[in-house]
Amino acid sequence: MKISTFNESLLEVKAQTLVLFLFEEKPLSQEVLQIDKEMGGVIQIAVKEERFAAKKGEMVSVNIGKKLGFTRVLLLGLGKKSNLSSLVLKRGMGTAIRTLTKSKTQKIAVYVPRLSGKKLQAGQIGESLCLGALTAEYQFTEYKTEKKDLPTRVNELTFYTTYPLKTFSRGIEEGEIIATAVNNSRDYGNQPSNKANPSYLVSMAQEVAKTPKVRCKVLNKEEIKQKKMEALLAVSQGAKHPPKFIILEYKGKPSSKDWLVFVGKGITFDSGGISIKPGEKMDEMKFDMAGGGAAISAVEAIANLKLTINIVALIPATENLPSGEAYKPGDIIGSAAGKTIEVINTDAEGRLILADALHYAKRYKPKAVVDFATLTGACVSALGTHASGLMGNNSNLIQKIKQAGELSGDRVWELPLWEEYSKQVKSDIADLRNMSTGLGGGAITAAAFLSEFIKDYSWAHLDIAGTAWSTEEKPYLGKGATGSGVAIAVELARKWK
Ligand code: BES
Ligand code: ZN
Ligand code: ZN
């Protein structure tokens, strides 16, 4: 999709369809009335005939004949002005793109009127629209061999706006960088595990390391042993593919020793191990590396945005499979931190590999560590698919992440990490158990387990189990991996001080 910006006259716009965003509030703004006049008053007619109220996601397509360089206008409602956010813009743009590609429209212009006062700046608006368009168009088609099954794509997308073109265009460029990273992360999640094993994640990280100032180092099984990452080793025992520990560093501020650390769960397939999962939906567990994928893609975007910050992504990567050599319920294993863990359930493997990565993070003397993990089904029960679970040990960091979530549209909701939960992960015969005693609260007790491995740094945990995968098609997004975690991580890094 070729994206460009444009601020001359509406008479110069050449496209098949013009998309026009409108708010519920009436009367229409002078700016909208002016272009409506040039289009023959179609908006006012639609409003008057009560065919269009501009409710969020509402759409009306109107034919305007041949008087301008486009013959169709797609009116798209954004709802109430006061509720405008980057998420509303992203989804609005996404809905338009998916609607128009279904009718095989390939040349689209978008008119972006002044959307609201100070709430969102021109750059943010450009960025959100661009992100919405590019993520909406994404489809995972690598394994389709029939050309006729491939979706049509938008060739040209032109934004026509009265916003200052320089800041708006910069927003578009940044949106393209972030969307590319988000879509790459979706590719990693959608790749089946027979293609995407730990070595595949390594090659994806090495690809990112071709970007200036990025370096990738990988610990192989021998080095993982030397580092005493016994929890990661235990989880990998049943698999044929060896585990990897990926370290992806971006040094955007070489003068500083400060590091922000991202940790991502990299289970390339989670069968549950000996505590095997039921067959239904087990196929989806190819996306259990979504946290690791998000961490790799966040580094990609941050490096391409050239942010002045030092970031490292740590990704423990392995499969979780049953075999004669697999770790078993009842086993007591070690960890890099030296703590012993009683394995109650081999399906609670994410917290085990993260424990070793969170311990490894310490050597960076991090300003903060944020982990991303499809950690628990309990988080999906608690929050559904609309927000990632957020927990941590530092209210300042939690606050920053909430703000980043709001700005990026990658939504999070905090769950309480009270000390009572920690008691539920203590074992009678080892230091910890990997599955809690007592009833419920599984998303929190998993985080409580992780918190046992945090030493001397601020930490937050994002459980993306519910947000990283979509079983249904949305008006603004296709099925499968969503790339959740990437945009919020980038936003956090951007605002980092
Ligand atoms: N990868 C799963 C969590 C998951 C479930 C992610 C559904 C996305 C959708 C994780 O490894 C797991 O299986 N967790 C168990 C933990 C339990 C055994 C304590 C769970 O949530 O059931
Ligand atoms: Zn599991
Ligand atoms: Zn898992």
Side-chain angles (χ1 to χ4, degrees):
M1 187 190 300
K2 191 173 148 274
I3 303 181
S4 55
T5 48
F6 180 79
N7 67 353
E8 283 143 52
S9 151
L10 191 67
L11 302 172
E12 307 292 325
V13 173
K14 299 251 177 322
Q16 287 165 289
T17 296
L18 179 88
V19 178
L20 187 82
F21 294 114
L22 292 168
F23 291 111
E24 273 178 51
E25 284 89 345
K26 302 286 160 327
L28 298 168
S29 70
Q30 278 308 317
E31 186 187 358
V32 170
L33 284 174
Q34 181 57 37
I35 67 160
D36 192 32
K37 212 164 114 195
E38 294 178 41
M39 299 189 306
V42 290
I43 304 176
Q44 283 197 297
I45 294 169
V47 171
K48 207 174 280 161
E49 291 178 354
E50 294 184 357
R51 281 186 288 119
F52 184 70
K55 296 247 183 278
K56 202 159 66 187
E58 190 183 352
M59 273 180 299
V60 164
S61 173
V62 199
N63 200 322
I64 61 159
K66 294 213 168 111
K67 50 185 149 314
L68 291 167
F70 48 92
T71 53
R72 276 202 165 269
V73 180
L74 181 70
L75 304 180
L76 208 137
L78 291 180
K80 291 208 165 58
K81 249 184 202 167
S82 53
N83 292 338
L84 184 69
S85 63
S86 48
L87 188 64
V88 171
L89 282 176
K90 236 201 275 192
R91 289 185 179 176
M93 190 65 240
T95 304
I97 290 291
R98 288 183 71 81
T99 306
L100 292 171
T101 37
K102 276 181 189 143
S103 64
K104 305 207 184 306
T105 313
Q106 291 183 313
K107 213 170 161 190
I108 300 171
V110 180
Y111 184 82
V112 188
R114 299 274 167 159
L115 289 172
S116 77
K118 292 187 201 89
K119 218 170 153 193
L120 286 171
Q121 257 99 62
Q124 287 166 304
I125 291 170
E127 179 178 310
S128 303
L129 292 174
C130 183
L131 256 162
L134 292 174
T135 52
E137 205 198 25
Y138 171 92
Q139 288 206 39
F140 185 64
T141 54
E142 197 179 321
Y143 300 100
K144 289 271 187 202
T145 59
E146 292 276 356
K147 258 226 147 27
K148 65 172 173 38
D149 291 344
L150 297 179
T152 45
R153 303 189 75 97
V154 178
N155 291 331
E156 282 177 48
L157 178 64
T158 309
F159 288 100
Y160 172 68
T161 183
T162 60
Y163 276 115
L165 211 54
K166 207 169 153 210
T167 35
F168 186 84
S169 303
R170 181 63 197 150
I172 296 280
E173 280 164 28
E174 299 198 349
E176 271 187 289
I177 289 174
I178 300 168
T180 304
V182 169
N183 287 344
N184 283 341
S185 157
R186 293 166 80 186
D187 270 347
Y188 310 157
N190 285 326
Q191 281 291 356
S193 74
N194 61 331
K195 305 281 174 185
N197 52 43
S199 305
Y200 164 89
L201 278 186
V202 167
S203 49
M204 292 304 109
Q206 282 166 343
E207 196 56 39
V208 171
K210 291 179 183 161
T211 321
K213 301 184 183 176
V214 182
R215 208 179 65 119
C216 179
K217 192 171 172 327
V218 181
L219 307 183
N220 61 26
K221 191 170 173 184
E222 266 320 298
E223 292 159 308
I224 290 171
K225 268 188 196 151
Q226 278 164 18
K227 296 266 182 311
K228 299 200 164 41
M229 296 185 175
E230 292 173 20
L232 172 58
L233 283 169
V235 174
S236 74
Q237 256 168 237
K240 197 179 83 202
H241 296 291
K244 304 281 175 188
F245 190 87
I246 303 169
I247 303 158
L248 188 62
E249 288 180 355
Y250 165 65
K251 273 201 144 177
K253 197 178 181 186
S255 63
S256 160
K257 286 203 165 68
D258 290 350
W259 287 95
L260 175 59
V261 180
F262 293 150
V263 172
K265 172 177 171 182
I267 296 288
T268 57
F269 187 71
D270 183 10
S271 69
I274 296 293
S275 316
I276 200 158
K277 287 180 181 293
E280 197 195 346
K281 288 193 168 204
M282 198 204 270
D283 59 301
E284 288 179 5
M285 282 302 133
K286 64 178 182 175
F287 92 115
D288 208 21
M289 35 50 67
I296 294 175
S297 299
V299 172
E300 177 194 346
I302 289 164
N304 283 321
L305 290 170
K306 302 189 173 68
L307 300 187
T308 45
I309 186 172
N310 298 328
I311 303 262
V312 57
L314 305 175
I315 299 113
T318 177
E319 300 178 306
N320 183 23
L321 291 172
S323 87
E325 272 148 67
Y327 80 135
K328 303 174 294 300
D331 286 1
I332 295 179
I333 61 172
S335 64
K339 297 200 182 202
T340 56
I341 306 163
E342 184 186 6
V343 176
I344 305 296
N345 189 314
T346 61
D347 197 11
E349 84 297 338
R351 63 197 77 184
L352 298 176
I353 68 168
L354 290 175
D356 283 346
L358 289 167
H359 180 76
Y360 189 89
K362 231 178 74 171
R363 68 179 60 209
Y364 286 87
K365 298 190 176 63
K367 285 284 157 215
V369 176
V370 183
D371 77 70
F372 301 84
T374 47
L375 203 60
T376 63
C379 191
V380 193
S381 302
L383 298 174
T385 58
H386 305 300
S388 302
L390 169 64
M391 286 146 272
N393 65 1
N394 180 298
S395 55
N396 200 353
L397 178 62
I398 294 273
Q399 206 47 40
K400 280 188 176 146
I401 295 179
K402 284 181 181 172
Q403 278 162 4
E406 195 52 45
L407 266 174
S408 63
D410 214 343
R411 295 197 289 193
V412 298
W413 197 258
E414 189 182 358
L415 301 171
L417 191 54
W418 294 319
E419 60 191 20
E420 285 82 348
Y421 295 103
S422 293
K423 298 204 179 97
Q424 292 177 249
V425 290
K426 296 277 186 298
S427 160
D428 293 336
I429 55 172
D431 297 332
L432 296 165
R433 47 189 283 139
N434 79 333
M435 190 181 165
S436 69
T437 57
L439 265 183
I444 307 175
T445 51
F449 180 93
L450 296 181
S451 76
E452 297 286 331
F453 295 87
I454 310 302
K455 267 240 167 81
D456 318 321
Y457 57 73
S458 301
W459 157 76
H461 157 64
L462 277 170
D463 192 330
I464 60 171
T467 53
W469 187 263
S470 178
T471 43
E472 61 196 41
E473 186 181 337
K474 310 253 170 64
Y476 50 85
L477 206 73
K479 286 183 194 182
T482 63
S484 80
V486 179
I488 192 172
V490 173
E491 197 53 47
L492 183 70
R494 252 184 187 166
K495 298 279 151 60
W496 197 259
K497 287 245 166 54

